[in-house]
Amino acid sequence: TKYAMEFVKRGIPIELDKPGSQDKESFEELFALAKNMNIPVHMGYMYRYNPAVKKMKEIIASEELGKVKHIDLDMSTFHYEPKRKWLANFKGGMMYFLGCHLIDLLYSFQGEPDKIVPLNKQSESNVGEDIGYAEFHYGNYVSTVKSSAIDPIGFPNRHIIIHFENAVLTIKPIELFDDKGISTVVVCSKLGEKVWNNIAKNFLVKEESVAFIENRIRQQQNITQQQGKRRNEFMILSRIVPLSMLNHIVNHDRLHVRVFRKISKILKKR
């Protein structure tokens, strides 16, 4: 928020990465100023725009599957010790770093809870809170959010599972990168029978996605077994992410550098 405030003061619209701030006061101050000056501030909560998530919100609002009883959200990954030590810089560790995405979605699904019970933990004494877990109480029901940095499977394991009165809807994984872009698997279970729901037709979902996920899991497991010594995370990334996606990541970073340089020049002029 410190740097974001400088942009807003100069009348520059900003894209602010999640979660925005480690304290409520500075966050509220930033948005109060932006609102007063009529300066757009966009938060980096991109999962709001996942077509499956948007469809889930429609289904919840329609109550066609009954009322929501429980939601289980998980966004975990695997980080080596240096990255897990870095998490100590932030209150909440993984819940701050990635769990904020899930909290954002949970609030959009169920609103503000009656009570929150945080249960964050450190897997080792010399790292930050690399296991993020919290309960969100809604009346007699409880929803859960988990974000761990010690999940050897990671991306394919990420999910949103919504328990309705008459069915269970599952988005797993929340995001899946392949050579054809992003595909999301949506499964609906009714009366204990697992079926491909008609919702899936909206998202370019194919049954081959399941085979793709299983293959990705096997790749990650093989990598984990072969590690022995710590390896550079970028090398691991290059082995499990298709080259086309890796190029996108690299180009994306270069774009950020170019944009940052341009913004720096603008600030100096002002």
Side-chain angles (χ1 to χ4, degrees):
T1 49
K2 174 183 176 182
Y3 301 105
M5 189 71 77
E6 293 302 315
F7 282 87
V8 173
K9 286 178 180 178
R10 290 166 170 78
I12 302 173
I14 61 172
E15 161 70 25
L16 183 63
D17 196 16
K18 51 74 187 172
S21 177
Q22 292 195 68
D23 64 271
K24 180 181 177 183
E25 291 73 21
S26 63
F27 192 71
E28 289 180 339
E29 183 182 354
L30 170 67
F31 274 83
L33 178 63
K35 186 175 182 179
N36 184 54
M37 295 182 63
N38 197 29
I39 304 300
V41 177
H42 184 267
M43 291 295 300
Y45 288 120
M46 61 280 195
Y47 295 99
R48 297 176 181 180
Y49 310 105
N50 181 324
V53 168
K54 293 168 74 173
K55 188 64 179 181
M56 288 286 197
K57 291 175 70 175
E58 291 178 14
I59 294 172
I60 290 172
S62 71
E63 296 189 358
E64 60 185 271
L65 297 177
K67 295 185 180 299
V68 174
K69 290 187 173 183
H70 169 72
I71 302 180
D72 170 34
L73 304 97
D74 188 315
M75 183 176 288
S76 296
T77 187
F78 180 81
H79 291 315
Y80 290 100
E81 188 177 286
K83 186 71 171 283
R84 290 188 286 123
K85 285 182 177 179
W86 170 80
L87 290 171
N89 294 309
F90 309 102
K91 299 174 183 178
M94 278 298 288
M95 192 60 76
Y96 175 91
F97 184 46
L98 288 181
C100 59
H101 281 299
L102 302 180
I103 295 171
D104 176 63
L105 294 180
L106 181 62
Y107 270 60
S108 72
F109 290 145
Q110 289 189 282
E112 188 171 349
D114 303 319
K115 182 174 70 172
I116 301 174
V117 181
L119 298 166
N120 298 333
K121 295 291 183 181
Q122 298 166 271
S123 64
E124 300 174 64
S125 60
N126 63 334
V127 300
E129 292 180 337
D130 54 356
I131 303 172
Y133 187 85
E135 294 178 351
F136 294 77
H137 294 237
Y138 295 89
N140 294 327
Y141 301 116
V142 177
S143 291
T144 56
V145 168
K146 176 190 172 189
S147 184
S148 165
I150 56 172
D151 184 342
I153 305 302
F155 274 76
N157 240 359
R158 297 179 176 186
H159 61 258
I160 300 172
I161 303 175
I162 303 181
H163 297 252
F164 295 87
E165 290 175 306
N166 304 316
V168 176
L169 278 181
T170 302
I171 303 178
K172 183 178 181 179
I174 300 175
E175 76 283 80
L176 177 64
F177 298 101
D178 57 27
D179 293 324
K180 297 179 181 178
I182 302 175
S183 59
T184 300
V185 178
V186 181
V187 177
C188 178
S189 303
K190 289 185 179 180
L191 302 176
E193 180 183 1
K194 190 174 182 180
V195 297
W196 287 96
N197 192 266
N198 288 332
I199 301 168
K201 294 178 181 178
N202 297 321
F203 312 119
L204 301 176
V205 177
K206 299 180 180 179
E207 293 194 27
E208 299 90 79
S209 297
V210 175
F212 180 85
I213 294 170
E214 291 174 347
N215 182 55
R216 185 58 59 83
I217 291 174
R218 283 193 294 270
Q219 287 179 337
Q220 183 64 67
Q221 288 173 334
N222 290 338
I223 291 169
T224 303
Q225 292 169 1
Q226 295 169 8
Q227 280 165 7
K229 299 179 180 179
R230 291 195 195 103
R231 297 182 183 181
N232 184 286
E233 284 189 63
F234 186 80
M235 291 302 294
I236 296 298
L237 181 68
S238 68
R239 292 184 62 183
I240 63 173
V241 177
L243 185 59
S244 59
M245 189 60 202
L246 195 61
N247 289 337
H248 169 74
I249 293 171
V250 173
N251 291 333
H252 186 65
D253 287 342
R254 288 172 182 162
L255 175 62
H256 273 294
V257 171
R258 291 198 299 271
V259 171
F260 179 76
R261 286 173 180 165
K262 187 172 182 62
I263 290 173
S264 297
K265 291 179 180 178
I266 293 172
L267 285 175
K268 287 178 181 179
K269 290 179 182 179
R270 297 193 181 203

